[in-house]
Every structure is written in structure tokens, then in C-alpha cells.
mmCIF file of all heavy atoms in Angstrom:
data_model
loop_
_atom_site.group_PDB
_atom_site.id
_atom_site.type_symbol
_atom_site.label_atom_id
_atom_site.label_comp_id
_atom_site.label_asym_id
_atom_site.label_seq_id
_atom_site.Cartn_x
_atom_site.Cartn_y
_atom_site.Cartn_z
ATOM 1 N N GLY A 191 0.755 -1.238 -0.016
ATOM 2 C CA GLY A 191 0.005 -0.005 -0.015
ATOM 3 C C GLY A 191 0.815 1.285 0.010
ATOM 4 O O GLY A 191 0.307 2.353 -0.169
ATOM 5 N N ALA A 192 2.104 1.122 0.177
ATOM 6 C CA ALA A 192 3.017 2.342 0.226
ATOM 7 C C ALA A 192 3.248 2.756 -1.201
ATOM 8 O O ALA A 192 3.031 2.002 -2.174
ATOM 9 C CB ALA A 192 4.319 1.982 0.898
ATOM 10 N N PRO A 193 3.638 4.070 -1.414
ATOM 11 C CA PRO A 193 3.964 4.508 -2.748
ATOM 12 C C PRO A 193 4.963 3.549 -3.454
ATOM 13 O O PRO A 193 5.923 3.125 -2.843
ATOM 14 C CB PRO A 193 4.660 5.876 -2.520
ATOM 15 C CG PRO A 193 4.059 6.355 -1.238
ATOM 16 C CD PRO A 193 3.836 5.069 -0.450
ATOM 17 N N ASP A 194 4.685 3.175 -4.688
ATOM 18 C CA ASP A 194 5.432 2.114 -5.343
ATOM 19 C C ASP A 194 6.658 2.803 -6.050
ATOM 20 O O ASP A 194 6.454 3.502 -7.059
ATOM 21 C CB ASP A 194 4.608 1.372 -6.307
ATOM 22 C CG ASP A 194 5.124 0.007 -6.682
ATOM 23 O OD1 ASP A 194 6.049 -0.385 -5.981
ATOM 24 O OD2 ASP A 194 4.566 -0.617 -7.574
ATOM 25 N N VAL A 195 7.859 2.681 -5.471
ATOM 26 C CA VAL A 195 9.023 3.340 -6.063
ATOM 27 C C VAL A 195 9.593 2.596 -7.202
ATOM 28 O O VAL A 195 9.874 1.407 -7.033
ATOM 29 C CB VAL A 195 10.092 3.608 -4.979
ATOM 30 C CG1 VAL A 195 11.268 4.342 -5.542
ATOM 31 C CG2 VAL A 195 9.458 4.441 -3.850
ATOM 32 N N GLU A 196 9.765 3.213 -8.361
ATOM 33 C CA GLU A 196 10.405 2.537 -9.500
ATOM 34 C C GLU A 196 11.582 3.379 -10.030
ATOM 35 O O GLU A 196 11.615 4.622 -9.850
ATOM 36 C CB GLU A 196 9.355 2.363 -10.637
ATOM 37 C CG GLU A 196 8.268 1.348 -10.292
ATOM 38 C CD GLU A 196 7.409 1.075 -11.522
ATOM 39 O OE1 GLU A 196 7.509 1.813 -12.482
ATOM 40 O OE2 GLU A 196 6.638 0.064 -11.481
ATOM 41 N N VAL A 197 12.492 2.720 -10.653
ATOM 42 C CA VAL A 197 13.624 3.408 -11.269
ATOM 43 C C VAL A 197 13.130 4.181 -12.446
ATOM 44 O O VAL A 197 12.354 3.681 -13.246
ATOM 45 C CB VAL A 197 14.706 2.371 -11.696
ATOM 46 C CG1 VAL A 197 15.837 3.079 -12.351
ATOM 47 C CG2 VAL A 197 15.168 1.549 -10.474
ATOM 48 N N ALA A 198 13.630 5.431 -12.576
ATOM 49 C CA ALA A 198 13.205 6.268 -13.696
ATOM 50 C C ALA A 198 13.682 5.652 -15.064
ATOM 51 O O ALA A 198 14.816 5.035 -15.092
ATOM 52 C CB ALA A 198 13.725 7.686 -13.517
ATOM 53 N N GLU A 199 12.948 5.850 -16.118
ATOM 54 C CA GLU A 199 13.279 5.272 -17.332
ATOM 55 C C GLU A 199 14.613 5.867 -17.915
ATOM 56 O O GLU A 199 15.353 5.141 -18.642
ATOM 57 C CB GLU A 199 12.156 5.556 -18.332
ATOM 58 C CG GLU A 199 10.858 4.851 -18.098
ATOM 59 C CD GLU A 199 9.788 5.164 -19.063
ATOM 60 O OE1 GLU A 199 10.055 5.866 -20.027
ATOM 61 O OE2 GLU A 199 8.650 4.562 -18.900
ATOM 62 N N ASP A 200 14.932 7.087 -17.555
ATOM 63 C CA ASP A 200 16.171 7.651 -18.010
ATOM 64 C C ASP A 200 17.334 7.553 -16.993
ATOM 65 O O ASP A 200 18.335 8.280 -17.137
ATOM 66 C CB ASP A 200 15.926 9.122 -18.368
ATOM 67 C CG ASP A 200 15.488 10.022 -17.224
ATOM 68 O OD1 ASP A 200 15.171 9.416 -16.125
ATOM 69 O OD2 ASP A 200 15.425 11.208 -17.284
ATOM 70 N N CYS A 201 17.133 6.699 -16.051
ATOM 71 C CA CYS A 201 18.212 6.522 -15.044
ATOM 72 C C CYS A 201 19.442 5.996 -15.653
ATOM 73 O O CYS A 201 19.453 4.993 -16.331
ATOM 74 C CB CYS A 201 17.755 5.551 -13.894
ATOM 75 S SG CYS A 201 18.721 5.622 -12.424
ATOM 76 N N ASP A 202 20.623 6.623 -15.358
ATOM 77 C CA ASP A 202 21.930 6.291 -16.008
ATOM 78 C C ASP A 202 22.931 6.002 -14.944
ATOM 79 O O ASP A 202 23.357 6.915 -14.250
ATOM 80 C CB ASP A 202 22.356 7.396 -16.853
ATOM 81 C CG ASP A 202 23.751 7.174 -17.525
ATOM 82 O OD1 ASP A 202 24.266 5.978 -17.428
ATOM 83 O OD2 ASP A 202 24.260 8.093 -18.148
ATOM 84 N N PRO A 203 23.313 4.730 -14.763
ATOM 85 C CA PRO A 203 24.330 4.357 -13.688
ATOM 86 C C PRO A 203 25.638 5.112 -13.907
ATOM 87 O O PRO A 203 26.408 5.307 -12.985
ATOM 88 C CB PRO A 203 24.500 2.898 -13.861
ATOM 89 C CG PRO A 203 23.240 2.415 -14.576
ATOM 90 C CD PRO A 203 22.813 3.535 -15.431
ATOM 91 N N GLY A 204 25.903 5.547 -15.154
ATOM 92 C CA GLY A 204 27.167 6.262 -15.416
ATOM 93 C C GLY A 204 27.196 7.701 -14.989
ATOM 94 O O GLY A 204 28.208 8.353 -15.124
ATOM 95 N N GLU A 205 26.086 8.197 -14.405
ATOM 96 C CA GLU A 205 26.033 9.629 -13.993
ATOM 97 C C GLU A 205 26.889 9.875 -12.728
ATOM 98 O O GLU A 205 27.239 11.076 -12.467
ATOM 99 C CB GLU A 205 24.646 10.036 -13.787
ATOM 100 C CG GLU A 205 23.804 10.189 -15.089
ATOM 101 C CD GLU A 205 22.448 10.763 -14.852
ATOM 102 O OE1 GLU A 205 22.221 11.237 -13.755
ATOM 103 O OE2 GLU A 205 21.588 10.662 -15.780
ATOM 104 N N PHE A 206 27.125 8.811 -11.989
ATOM 105 C CA PHE A 206 27.863 9.064 -10.703
ATOM 106 C C PHE A 206 29.406 9.152 -11.018
ATOM 107 O O PHE A 206 29.877 8.608 -11.954
ATOM 108 C CB PHE A 206 27.624 7.899 -9.765
ATOM 109 C CG PHE A 206 26.244 7.804 -9.310
ATOM 110 C CD1 PHE A 206 25.354 6.854 -9.858
ATOM 111 C CD2 PHE A 206 25.713 8.696 -8.320
ATOM 112 C CE1 PHE A 206 24.051 6.734 -9.413
ATOM 113 C CE2 PHE A 206 24.382 8.625 -7.883
ATOM 114 C CZ PHE A 206 23.571 7.674 -8.463
ATOM 115 N N GLU A 207 30.052 9.949 -10.173
ATOM 116 C CA GLU A 207 31.498 10.168 -10.306
ATOM 117 C C GLU A 207 32.266 8.884 -10.278
ATOM 118 O O GLU A 207 32.058 8.011 -9.379
ATOM 119 C CB GLU A 207 31.988 11.110 -9.253
ATOM 120 C CG GLU A 207 33.447 11.512 -9.411
ATOM 121 C CD GLU A 207 33.878 12.520 -8.339
ATOM 122 O OE1 GLU A 207 33.004 13.005 -7.649
ATOM 123 O OE2 GLU A 207 35.104 12.770 -8.237
ATOM 124 N N ASP A 208 33.215 8.666 -11.173
ATOM 125 C CA ASP A 208 34.043 7.472 -11.200
ATOM 126 C C ASP A 208 34.721 7.269 -9.861
ATOM 127 O O ASP A 208 35.298 8.227 -9.312
ATOM 128 C CB ASP A 208 35.084 7.524 -12.336
ATOM 129 C CG ASP A 208 34.499 7.460 -13.707
ATOM 130 O OD1 ASP A 208 33.292 6.953 -13.817
ATOM 131 O OD2 ASP A 208 35.168 7.735 -14.671
ATOM 132 N N GLY A 209 34.693 6.067 -9.377
ATOM 133 C CA GLY A 209 35.397 5.756 -8.150
ATOM 134 C C GLY A 209 34.571 5.982 -6.881
ATOM 135 O O GLY A 209 34.928 5.536 -5.847
ATOM 136 N N SER A 210 33.421 6.652 -7.006
ATOM 137 C CA SER A 210 32.530 6.853 -5.901
ATOM 138 C C SER A 210 31.805 5.550 -5.543
ATOM 139 O O SER A 210 31.655 4.641 -6.408
ATOM 140 C CB SER A 210 31.490 7.959 -6.134
ATOM 141 O OG SER A 210 30.535 7.528 -7.133
ATOM 142 N N ARG A 211 31.403 5.416 -4.321
ATOM 143 C CA ARG A 211 30.704 4.199 -3.863
ATOM 144 C C ARG A 211 29.368 4.130 -4.612
ATOM 145 O O ARG A 211 28.921 3.052 -5.025
ATOM 146 C CB ARG A 211 30.439 4.211 -2.384
ATOM 147 C CG ARG A 211 29.753 2.903 -1.884
ATOM 148 C CD ARG A 211 30.618 1.680 -2.234
ATOM 149 N NE ARG A 211 30.004 0.467 -1.711
ATOM 150 C CZ ARG A 211 30.242 -0.737 -2.216
ATOM 151 N NH1 ARG A 211 31.004 -0.923 -3.273
ATOM 152 N NH2 ARG A 211 29.611 -1.848 -1.699
ATOM 153 N N MET A 212 28.736 5.264 -4.940
ATOM 154 C CA MET A 212 27.480 5.196 -5.704
ATOM 155 C C MET A 212 27.699 4.648 -7.089
ATOM 156 O O MET A 212 26.851 3.862 -7.544
ATOM 157 C CB MET A 212 26.893 6.660 -5.769
ATOM 158 C CG MET A 212 26.454 7.200 -4.462
ATOM 159 S SD MET A 212 27.874 7.981 -3.573
ATOM 160 C CE MET A 212 28.168 9.451 -4.535
ATOM 161 N N ALA A 213 28.775 5.034 -7.711
ATOM 162 C CA ALA A 213 29.075 4.507 -9.045
ATOM 163 C C ALA A 213 29.349 3.001 -8.978
ATOM 164 O O ALA A 213 28.882 2.257 -9.887
ATOM 165 C CB ALA A 213 30.291 5.206 -9.607
ATOM 166 N N GLU A 214 30.031 2.528 -7.968
ATOM 167 C CA GLU A 214 30.345 1.098 -7.878
ATOM 168 C C GLU A 214 29.014 0.348 -7.623
ATOM 169 O O GLU A 214 28.818 -0.748 -8.277
ATOM 170 C CB GLU A 214 31.273 0.903 -6.620
ATOM 171 C CG GLU A 214 32.606 1.417 -6.809
ATOM 172 C CD GLU A 214 33.480 1.355 -5.573
ATOM 173 O OE1 GLU A 214 32.974 0.930 -4.541
ATOM 174 O OE2 GLU A 214 34.600 1.768 -5.594
ATOM 175 N N LEU A 215 28.163 0.854 -6.837
ATOM 176 C CA LEU A 215 26.854 0.146 -6.548
ATOM 177 C C LEU A 215 25.985 0.140 -7.750
ATOM 178 O O LEU A 215 25.338 -0.870 -8.104
ATOM 179 C CB LEU A 215 26.130 0.772 -5.350
ATOM 180 C CG LEU A 215 26.832 0.632 -3.997
ATOM 181 C CD1 LEU A 215 26.163 1.542 -2.955
ATOM 182 C CD2 LEU A 215 26.741 -0.780 -3.518
ATOM 183 N N ALA A 216 25.914 1.329 -8.397
ATOM 184 C CA ALA A 216 25.034 1.393 -9.640
ATOM 185 C C ALA A 216 25.570 0.450 -10.702
ATOM 186 O O ALA A 216 24.758 -0.167 -11.453
ATOM 187 C CB ALA A 216 25.013 2.831 -10.122
ATOM 188 N N GLU A 217 26.863 0.382 -10.875
ATOM 189 C CA GLU A 217 27.425 -0.469 -11.939
ATOM 190 C C GLU A 217 27.186 -1.910 -11.575
ATOM 191 O O GLU A 217 26.856 -2.772 -12.500
ATOM 192 C CB GLU A 217 28.926 -0.190 -12.049
ATOM 193 C CG GLU A 217 29.571 -1.051 -13.196
ATOM 194 C CD GLU A 217 31.045 -0.757 -13.372
ATOM 195 O OE1 GLU A 217 31.537 0.155 -12.660
ATOM 196 O OE2 GLU A 217 31.732 -1.422 -14.136
ATOM 197 N N ALA A 218 27.357 -2.249 -10.312
ATOM 198 C CA ALA A 218 27.109 -3.698 -9.888
ATOM 199 C C ALA A 218 25.646 -4.091 -9.986
ATOM 200 O O ALA A 218 25.310 -5.227 -10.181
ATOM 201 C CB ALA A 218 27.699 -3.944 -8.532
ATOM 202 N N GLY A 219 24.772 -3.080 -9.755
ATOM 203 C CA GLY A 219 23.342 -3.333 -9.748
ATOM 204 C C GLY A 219 22.886 -4.099 -8.552
ATOM 205 O O GLY A 219 21.784 -4.753 -8.552
ATOM 206 N N GLU A 220 23.636 -3.965 -7.460
ATOM 207 C CA GLU A 220 23.338 -4.702 -6.258
ATOM 208 C C GLU A 220 23.723 -3.841 -5.045
ATOM 209 O O GLU A 220 24.679 -3.064 -5.087
ATOM 210 C CB GLU A 220 24.116 -6.037 -6.117
ATOM 211 C CG GLU A 220 23.768 -7.056 -7.163
ATOM 212 C CD GLU A 220 24.518 -8.283 -7.024
ATOM 213 O OE1 GLU A 220 25.526 -8.330 -6.274
ATOM 214 O OE2 GLU A 220 24.174 -9.293 -7.711
ATOM 215 N N ILE A 221 22.943 -3.987 -3.928
ATOM 216 C CA ILE A 221 23.175 -3.227 -2.745
ATOM 217 C C ILE A 221 22.701 -3.941 -1.476
ATOM 218 O O ILE A 221 21.702 -4.749 -1.578
ATOM 219 C CB ILE A 221 22.541 -1.804 -2.823
ATOM 220 C CG1 ILE A 221 22.981 -0.929 -1.660
ATOM 221 C CG2 ILE A 221 21.064 -1.909 -2.919
ATOM 222 C CD1 ILE A 221 22.567 0.513 -1.761
ATOM 223 N N ASN A 222 23.350 -3.824 -0.397
ATOM 224 C CA ASN A 222 22.924 -4.328 0.904
ATOM 225 C C ASN A 222 22.487 -3.160 1.817
ATOM 226 O O ASN A 222 23.230 -2.265 2.039
ATOM 227 C CB ASN A 222 24.065 -5.117 1.575
ATOM 228 C CG ASN A 222 24.530 -6.300 0.787
ATOM 229 O OD1 ASN A 222 23.690 -7.130 0.327
ATOM 230 N ND2 ASN A 222 25.801 -6.386 0.570
ATOM 231 N N VAL A 223 21.266 -3.342 2.336
ATOM 232 C CA VAL A 223 20.683 -2.262 3.177
ATOM 233 C C VAL A 223 20.277 -2.783 4.452
ATOM 234 O O VAL A 223 19.411 -3.791 4.530
ATOM 235 C CB VAL A 223 19.483 -1.531 2.461
ATOM 236 C CG1 VAL A 223 18.990 -0.410 3.303
ATOM 237 C CG2 VAL A 223 19.866 -1.063 1.061
ATOM 238 N N GLY A 224 20.718 -2.237 5.588
ATOM 239 C CA GLY A 224 20.346 -2.631 6.957
ATOM 240 C C GLY A 224 19.070 -1.980 7.348
ATOM 241 O O GLY A 224 18.972 -0.745 7.413
ATOM 242 N N VAL A 225 17.990 -2.763 7.690
ATOM 243 C CA VAL A 225 16.753 -2.251 8.205
ATOM 244 C C VAL A 225 16.267 -3.109 9.343
ATOM 245 O O VAL A 225 16.696 -4.209 9.571
ATOM 246 C CB VAL A 225 15.676 -2.201 7.073
ATOM 247 C CG1 VAL A 225 16.097 -1.260 5.949
ATOM 248 C CG2 VAL A 225 15.389 -3.575 6.518
ATOM 249 N N ARG A 226 15.222 -2.586 10.104
ATOM 250 C CA ARG A 226 14.687 -3.379 11.154
ATOM 251 C C ARG A 226 13.591 -4.280 10.615
ATOM 252 O O ARG A 226 12.968 -4.003 9.628
ATOM 253 C CB ARG A 226 14.017 -2.373 12.226
ATOM 254 C CG ARG A 226 15.002 -1.448 12.832
ATOM 255 C CD ARG A 226 16.108 -2.096 13.613
ATOM 256 N NE ARG A 226 15.651 -2.825 14.721
ATOM 257 C CZ ARG A 226 15.892 -2.530 16.016
ATOM 258 N NH1 ARG A 226 16.633 -1.477 16.302
ATOM 259 N NH2 ARG A 226 15.456 -3.260 17.010
ATOM 260 N N PHE A 227 13.384 -5.392 11.280
ATOM 261 C CA PHE A 227 12.389 -6.321 10.912
ATOM 262 C C PHE A 227 11.290 -6.416 11.995
ATOM 263 O O PHE A 227 10.287 -7.123 11.856
ATOM 264 C CB PHE A 227 12.941 -7.749 10.712
ATOM 265 C CG PHE A 227 13.610 -7.963 9.405
ATOM 266 C CD1 PHE A 227 13.949 -6.933 8.568
ATOM 267 C CD2 PHE A 227 13.931 -9.268 8.985
ATOM 268 C CE1 PHE A 227 14.589 -7.171 7.302
ATOM 269 C CE2 PHE A 227 14.559 -9.530 7.805
ATOM 270 C CZ PHE A 227 14.898 -8.437 6.938
ATOM 271 N N ASP A 228 11.447 -5.688 13.149
ATOM 272 C CA ASP A 228 10.603 -5.864 14.288
ATOM 273 C C ASP A 228 9.906 -4.558 14.736
ATOM 274 O O ASP A 228 9.481 -4.550 15.855
ATOM 275 C CB ASP A 228 11.389 -6.469 15.472
ATOM 276 C CG ASP A 228 12.467 -5.556 15.996
ATOM 277 O OD1 ASP A 228 12.939 -4.642 15.248
ATOM 278 O OD2 ASP A 228 12.760 -5.648 17.219
#
């Protein structure tokens, strides 16, 4: 029921600065996120 977040059609993983963690994650297409379950 929450707002359904989708990647924008024009999203470009190459827009992040080379060597930044954001660029690494975007290029890999994977990420680990710590959240609560309780």
C-alpha cells in the first residue's frame, strides 16, 4: 500500500562520479541495506 518506487526510465548508472561508492553500486546493480524487521 505504500507509494510504489520505481527506477526512472532515463536513469543512467554512469552519471555518478568514477570511483565513488554510488558509481560502484550502480554499476554492480546490487546493494545491501540494513533495516529493522521488528
Side-chain angles (χ1 to χ4, degrees):
D194 204 8
V195 180
E196 293 188 346
V197 178
E199 293 179 1
D200 61 350
C201 195
D202 179 7
E205 289 185 12
F206 295 102
E207 184 177 350
D208 288 345
S210 69
R211 184 57 179 158
M212 295 83 73
E214 293 172 358
L215 293 168
E217 182 178 356
E220 296 179 347
I221 187 171
N222 298 310
V223 183
V225 297
R226 302 298 295 245
F227 282 14
D228 68 332

